[in-house]
Amino acid sequence: MSNILVLGGTTEASALAVLLAARGGDAVLSYAGRVASPRAQPIPVRVGGFGGVEGLALYLGDHGVTHLVDATHPFAARMSANAVLAADRAGVRHIALTRPPWSPVAGDRWTHVADIEAAVTALAGPSRRVMLALGRMQVDAFAAQPQHDYLLRFVDVPDHPPGLPRHHLVVDRGPFDLDGDLRLLEAHGIEVVVCKNAGGTGAQAKLGAARALGVPVIMIDRPALPARLEVHAAEDVLHWLDHGADLGV
Ligand code: 3Y8
Ligand code: NAP
């Protein structure tokens, strides 16, 4: 009988949890513990880091995990790298449930940058009204460009004010919708949006809003991830669970 650990924190992980609850059997969803009250799940949840590759390998062995599903965000690069190494060390089958990157369509005004540091550099120049749709964890890097009026969107109220002299903070969690993001960008007179190429649907609304308003986007490309078996739909994970062994994957 399978015993599944899902590394979660995304819309796709939550969709998989619903399918696993219906399927029955042992399955646990894991959160890092980044936000105060993560979404409730229909399967048991654990919260917090494992303690690196070694900690995760020990967890997999101690809990008799047979299948590890990495359904973390494409920017959770350390977690994804650890998952591949720990699964190999523990002799546990591994798959990644991830979403394809977004691609620009007609009307998009994207500038691709490699990482957060390049996004900061791209903001050199006169003061503008900038939306940082990056969450809380990397915002302080933008203190290097203090001349802008920043619109920030966090999941939780931060313990201390962000290190940006001129900012307006919106506390809200996705998934977001087009109408809401259109209103937000218009209300704040946003002149440029900075975001990660997260893919999926939960964070996509701001791109549609920027397109409709003719607002340019600084798009941070994904970090490198290890080679691994990847699928883009929760149903494909169930197929792998039920037939993967026959396919040798
Ligand atoms: C803790 C657990 C679900 C999952 C929902 C998805 C969509 C809505 C949109 C914007 C972009 C951002 C951010 C975002 C979105 C989904 C998904 C997604 C982006 C929760 C959640 C956890 C987190 C962690 C959080 C990060 C932050 C990133 C905010 C739950 C709500 C910017 C990513 O305050 C903090 O410390 C937040 C930290 C990591 C990125 C960062 O670097 O700050 N996600 N987000 C997970 C854990 O503890 O393991 O409550 O659901 C989940 C979701 N947030 O099941 O419905 O699938 O990605 N999350 C980005 O895409 O750029 C917001 O504002 O437009
Ligand atoms: P990260 O930088 O790749 O991970 C750093 C460390 O956090 C990991 O080494 C691990 O600690 C712990 N960790 C991460 N995800 C975990 C999980 N699902 N369960 C248990 N521990 C976890 O990851 P991150 O960018 O901080 O993202 C944290 C979580 O938020 C992820 O689950 C991700 O899906 C979600 N999220 C992230 C983003 C984003 O923009 N990064 C966006 C949406 C959602 P140990 O080494 O101690 O095991």
Side-chain angles (χ1 to χ4, degrees):
M1 191 61 185
S2 57
N3 179 346
I4 302 150
L5 176 64
V6 180
L7 302 176
T10 58
T11 304
E12 291 73 19
S14 298
L16 176 60
V18 170
L19 298 181
L20 291 173
R23 178 175 183 267
D26 294 328
V28 167
L29 185 138
S30 176
Y31 281 122
R34 289 274 180 275
V35 300
S37 50
R39 172 194 286 269
Q41 295 292 342
I43 59 175
V45 165
R46 66 165 299 288
V47 179
F50 296 96
V53 175
E54 186 177 349
L56 178 52
L58 282 173
Y59 178 96
L60 296 173
D62 293 349
H63 291 77
V65 174
T66 58
H67 297 76
L68 178 59
V69 183
D70 177 1
T72 60
H73 189 278
F75 281 71
R78 179 134 41 93
M79 186 71 261
S80 291
N82 289 2
V84 169
L85 293 171
D88 183 55
R89 190 178 297 183
V92 167
R93 293 171 59 217
H94 171 286
I95 196 169
L97 171 57
T98 184
R99 52 269 183 126
W102 293 315
S103 301
V105 299
D108 282 335
R109 299 173 55 191
W110 291 10
T111 302
H112 288 270
V113 295
D115 51 29
I116 293 281
E117 290 69 31
V120 173
T121 304
L123 284 177
S127 174
R128 284 188 286 178
R129 306 185 62 77
V130 180
M131 177 180 185
L132 295 184
L134 303 170
R136 173 182 59 90
M137 290 162 60
Q138 283 116 356
V139 162
D140 289 347
F142 291 85
Q145 303 286 1
Q147 70 273 25
H148 301 303
D149 289 295
Y150 286 103
L151 171 65
L152 308 176
R153 180 154 66 183
F154 291 177
V155 177
D156 294 324
V157 176
D159 301 335
H160 53 270
L164 299 174
R166 299 190 339 236
H167 69 270
H168 176 84
L169 175 62
V170 169
V171 178
D172 195 1
R173 79 166 55 202
F176 301 105
D177 62 50
L178 180 59
D179 288 345
D181 276 5
L182 264 174
R183 281 196 302 275
L184 185 69
L185 267 62
E186 284 182 315
H188 292 270
I190 296 303
E191 297 169 283
V192 56
V193 173
V194 182
C195 68
K196 301 171 186 171
N197 197 330
T201 56
Q204 196 171 23
K206 59 186 173 279
L207 301 183
R211 186 183 310 127
L213 297 171
V215 169
V217 173
I218 295 175
M219 181 62 72
I220 302 170
D221 291 334
R222 296 180 172 189
L225 292 175
R228 63 209 176 144
L229 179 63
E230 282 188 6
V231 293
H232 294 320
E235 296 75 9
D236 294 340
V237 174
L238 259 62
H239 183 76
W240 171 75
L241 288 170
D242 297 335
H243 306 290
D246 313 342
L247 307 171
V249 289

